[in-house]
Amino acid sequence: GGIGLMPNPATDHVTVGVNLADSDKGTLSFMDMTGRMLYEQQVTKGETQVDFDLHKIGLTAGVYLVRLKHANGQSVQRLVVR
């Protein structure tokens, strides 16, 4: 399972493509580069992409980590916000 970020770099929104690798559910987390949690959302089987308004979840210009964690592992991608 993994994630894809579109667009990246992003400005005001990002779509996270989600692959749960046969898990029933998972957690999408947005973290700063020190690993501090900024926003978290549950995803369930059948969800293949999730849209986020970066202003609503509090992400300003900078570099962040987006993590998908599920029963079969985790995947982390770097997101640049301009």
Side-chain angles (χ1 to χ4, degrees), residues 38-79:
L38 304 171
Y39 185 80
E40 197 170 69
Q41 181 170 315
Q42 302 299 311
V43 290
T44 53
K45 195 175 193 135
E47 282 187 272
T48 55
Q49 54 182 45
V50 188
D51 293 310
F52 292 94
D53 180 324
L54 297 175
H55 302 294
K56 279 189 185 157
I57 64 174
L59 269 57
T60 53
V63 181
Y64 301 92
L65 297 173
V66 183
R67 179 181 70 195
L68 173 66
K69 200 170 185 180
H70 52 78
N72 297 319
Q74 69 174 10
S75 178
V76 179
Q77 293 276 348
R78 210 170 74 139
L79 172 66

Side-chain angles (χ1 to χ4, degrees), residues 4-11 13-14 64 77-82:
L5 306 173
M6 300 151 296
N8 190 9
T11 47
H13 75 277
V14 68
Y64 301 92
Q77 293 276 348
R78 210 170 74 139
L79 172 66
V80 177
V81 178
R82 293 216 162 124

